[in-house]
Amino acid sequence: MIYSKEVEEMCTVAQGVHHGCAPIPEEAKWVQAKKVEDISGLTHGVGWCAPQQGACKLTLNVKEGIIQEALVETIGCSGMTHSAAMAAEILPGLTVMEALNTDLVCDAINTAMRELFLQIVYGRSQSAFSEDGLPIGAGLEDLGKGLRSQVGTMYGTLKKGPRYLEMAEGYVTGIALDKDDQIIGYQFVNLGKMTDFIKKGDDPAAAYEKSKGQYGRVDDAVKIIDPRKE
């Protein structure tokens, strides 16, 4: 340790009382986090790239400083999917400090990692008050049945109005309209369920029918339109 001449010539003054860093809530315990291995928790965060043309939702499950589970969801940029594939391989096994300083290729994923780091080290995790935290695998619960990201995709113009394209339930196949051409419901097909039926041996046409559903007052519709063609 090198000190300047000015510091060397100073007399010593005692620091007084110092209780250490403030404790943060981690998995139903109050922890004074002083080392990387003191950090545990499951949390989510969102990142965006510099031109803001894409975004990433990142979920990490950290135990004693080590990332045990990572869920990487991206939207808006085709290249991000390949970066996400790399991140899913890279992140598990790293400490949160290593992950913060690892090039995850995509700006959005890097930014998401930064936001998660801040949440975790400040005690803002989703498992802060969950005894023993959340089990490895909890990250997949965000995806629901069929293990597909829950995506909402809507489009609208002043001249032609709104179009529902993708809801949490699945791919929208029809929009139900009333006599005033206002939306009163929609039809959809859950692509995750359909794929699962096909994998189990169902005929694709039968799987499609079994995976269909509707929401709202579809039965009262004056007409149903295809949101992608009409």
Side-chain angles (χ1 to χ4, degrees), residues 21-27 29-34 38-41 43 96 100 114-126 128-129:
C21 58
I24 61 175
E26 291 185 26
E27 302 188 342
K29 297 187 291 288
W30 288 98
V31 178
Q32 282 187 307
K34 300 178 182 179
D38 292 333
I39 300 296
S40 293
T43 192
V96 288
L100 186 66
R114 180 194 70 195
E115 297 301 308
L116 260 68
F117 180 84
L118 293 175
Q119 290 178 22
I120 293 169
V121 298
Y122 282 120
R124 303 297 194 272
S125 69
Q126 274 71 24
F129 300 102

Side-chain angles (χ1 to χ4, degrees), residues 67-79:
I67 296 171
Q68 301 290 338
E69 176 185 19
L71 173 64
V72 190
E73 301 174 82
T74 62
I75 188 169
C77 169
S78 59

Side-chain angles (χ1 to χ4, degrees), residues 14-22 32 34:
Q15 262 189 298
V17 177
H18 179 51
H19 296 294
C21 58
Q32 282 187 307
K34 300 178 182 179

Side-chain angles (χ1 to χ4, degrees), residues 4 18-19 42 55 64 66-67 76 96 98 101 108 123 127 133 149 168 173 178 190 199 229:
S4 68
H18 179 51
H19 296 294
L42 181 141
E64 297 179 349
I66 306 295
I67 296 171
V96 288
E98 288 175 313
N101 290 288
S127 59
S149 296
T173 56
D178 64 11
N190 188 309
K199 287 193 294 185
K229 294 182 178 179

